[in-house]
Amino acid sequence: MIFTFETTLTHNGWVGALIIPEDISEQLESAKIKRVVADLIVSGKEMTLYAGVIKRKGIKYLMLSKANKKALAIEEGNTVNVTMKEDTSKYQAPMTEELEAVLLSDYEAYEIFESLLPGKQRNIIFMIYGIKDSQKRVDVALNAMENLKMGNLNPIRFEKLLPY
């Protein structure tokens, strides 16, 4: 299913919120869709957003971080065109070639990565996805796998073990 709608950027108290219309919200709930890939278009600028569908006080929305708002050059009250569909990828996050290569080359790290809860897997994937330089992605991926092998399973508390 592909959903297309127009919404206004609001906030949920901390970050930007793109409210999902009620009819689409009901369809998402009946189909049990919790993670989506959304293409956002604002004033000619485009972005692909990998997000969870958040529900608070009966309202469903997509979170839009400060960095994403800056990249789109939008602020509260701006209109956003959204086209979204269910994220059916394995990790429900954009796996980079660099992380995939590191996981393929280190079976022990791969096994530990696969044993993590999906949210922790996504934290690691997004940590690496946000890096622009390919070599730095490799370095951070290697560092993350070394942390996992040391027993540090919390991506937020990863130590910098390798020079990068």
Side-chain angles (χ1 to χ4, degrees):
M1 277 190 273
I2 295 176
F3 305 98
T4 303
F5 59 94
E6 188 174 278
T7 189
T8 303
L9 179 66
T10 60
H11 66 87
N12 74 350
W14 297 282
V15 295
L18 297 172
I19 296 176
I20 300 170
E22 198 170 318
D23 59 328
I24 294 173
S25 174
E26 290 170 0
Q27 291 178 55
L28 293 172
E29 195 162 329
S30 68
K32 296 184 178 173
I33 296 173
K34 295 183 179 184
R35 294 204 56 87
V36 296
V37 177
D39 292 319
L40 311 178
I41 301 173
V42 181
S43 303
K45 291 190 178 190
E46 296 183 31
M47 169 185 282
T48 299
L49 179 69
Y50 298 84
V53 177
I54 309 294
K55 182 178 181 180
R56 291 225 167 86
K57 298 180 182 174
I59 298 171
K60 289 197 177 196
Y61 61 92
L62 304 175
M63 286 194 316
L64 194 63
S65 70
K66 191 175 185 178
N68 286 338
K69 289 192 295 189
K70 185 177 179 181
L72 285 170
I74 61 172
E75 52 191 47
E76 193 173 329
N78 289 122
T79 301
V80 181
N81 291 308
V82 180
T83 302
M84 68 179 189
K85 63 181 179 179
E86 181 177 13
D87 187 343
T88 56
S89 63
K90 180 177 180 179
Y91 299 108
Q92 295 184 328
M95 177 62 85
T96 64
E97 291 177 22
E98 295 84 356
L99 177 56
E100 194 168 22
V102 169
L103 288 170
L104 288 171
S105 68
D106 188 341
Y107 188 71
E108 180 186 358
Y110 171 78
E111 284 185 314
I112 296 168
F113 182 81
E114 286 297 315
S115 73
L116 295 174
L117 293 172
K120 289 197 190 253
Q121 290 173 336
R122 283 192 293 274
N123 281 347
I124 293 169
I125 292 168
F126 280 115
M127 176 186 349
I128 295 161
Y129 176 74
I131 299 170
K132 302 287 183 234
D133 181 61
S134 181
Q135 183 56 51
K136 189 163 182 178
R137 277 192 205 159
V138 171
D139 294 341
V140 173
L142 287 168
N143 189 67
M145 296 309 111
E146 288 303 315
N147 270 276
L148 292 178
K149 291 192 296 189
M150 287 178 9
N152 183 359
L153 304 180
N154 187 347
I156 295 169
R157 295 203 171 97
F158 279 177
E159 295 178 31
K160 184 176 174 183
L161 302 171
L162 305 170
Y164 56 85

